[in-house]
Amino acid sequence: MTRTAEESGAESGAAGQAKGSGAASPDASSDTVSGGHLVAKALDLGYRTVGRNRDIDLGLVGDPGAGLAATVQAASGRAGGSGSVKRKAWFEELRRQEEDAYRKRLPRQLSDAEPIHPLRVAREINEFLTEDSIDIGDGGDIVTFSGGVVQPKSPGHWMDPGPLATLGVGIPFVMAAKYARPDKEVVALSGDRTINVWVDPDAYVPGTVNQTMYK
C-alpha cells in the first residue's frame, strides 16, 4: 500500500501506534502518482511481528479492523484530502498496463500447441467456473499464471497460498471450502511441486534442499 504522510497519520490514529523510521521520513510524504518514493506499510496486532518477514517503511500496530477502515477512508479521499483525485492518473496507468498484459497473454491462452501452456489451462478453468464455483490455486508459478486469467464469478470464491506461495495448501483448502460450503463446487489447480509435497512428503523435511528452497 502507498499513502502520503497526512494519510498515514489518519491510518495510525485509528489503527494504533506507528513503528519504524518511515513515519518521520520526508520520503514518506512523497506522492507516488508524481513519481515519488514508494512507501511499504504493514498492519499487525503486535510489535514483535510487524515487519518481521519483509522490510517496511512504516509499521502500524493496532486493531486490523480499525486500521483497514481508516485505509479505505484515506484511499477514497474522505480523510480530509483529495487522494482519490491525485491517484486517478495512476489508476489509468495501471489499467493501461493491465490491458497491455492481457493482449500479450491472449495468444498463449488461445494456443493449441503442445505441451499445453499454463495460461491455456487457466483460460479453460475460467470458462468452466460458475457462480457456485470456488476456485483454489496451489503453488507458485501456476498461481501466478491462473491469477492473471481466472475471474471468480462471485466474491469470496477464490483461494490461494498468498504472496509467500506456501506449497501444499490445496487439499486442505478444498476440504475446508467443501466443509464450510457443501453446496458449492470446488475446483483446485495445483502445480507439480505442490503435488510432490503430498506424494513424497519426506522430500520436504527440515534440512533437505526442497525444504530450504520453499520454507
Side-chain angles (χ1 to χ4, degrees), residues 30-151:
S30 298
D31 187 350
T32 56
V33 176
S34 60
H37 174 64
L38 181 67
V39 180
K41 301 183 181 181
L43 173 62
D44 205 299
L45 286 170
Y47 279 99
R48 293 187 176 183
T49 53
V50 64
R52 172 177 288 182
N53 69 340
R54 64 193 64 195
D55 292 334
I56 58 174
D57 294 289
L58 177 65
L60 300 175
V61 178
D63 178 74
L68 292 175
T71 299
V72 171
Q73 186 180 42
S76 66
R78 296 194 297 270
S82 57
S84 60
V85 176
K86 293 179 180 179
R87 282 185 288 275
K88 183 177 180 181
W90 181 53
F91 285 143
E92 291 176 351
E93 175 61 24
L94 291 178
R95 291 190 186 97
R96 284 194 294 270
Q97 293 181 13
E98 281 290 325
E99 292 170 356
D100 290 342
Y102 172 77
R103 285 192 292 269
K104 292 178 180 178
R105 291 195 304 261
L106 190 58
R108 287 175 289 177
Q109 293 182 37
L110 302 175
S111 174
D112 292 328
E114 295 184 0
I116 299 175
H117 196 281
L119 286 173
R120 181 189 168 189
V121 176
R123 179 181 65 85
E124 298 282 355
I125 290 176
N126 188 55
E127 294 180 355
F128 175 82
L129 298 178
T130 69
E131 292 184 356
D132 290 322
S133 302
I134 297 177
D135 185 56
I136 296 172
D138 184 11
D141 292 340
I142 194 65
V143 175
T144 301
F145 282 121
S146 61
V149 177
V150 175
Q151 299 293 322

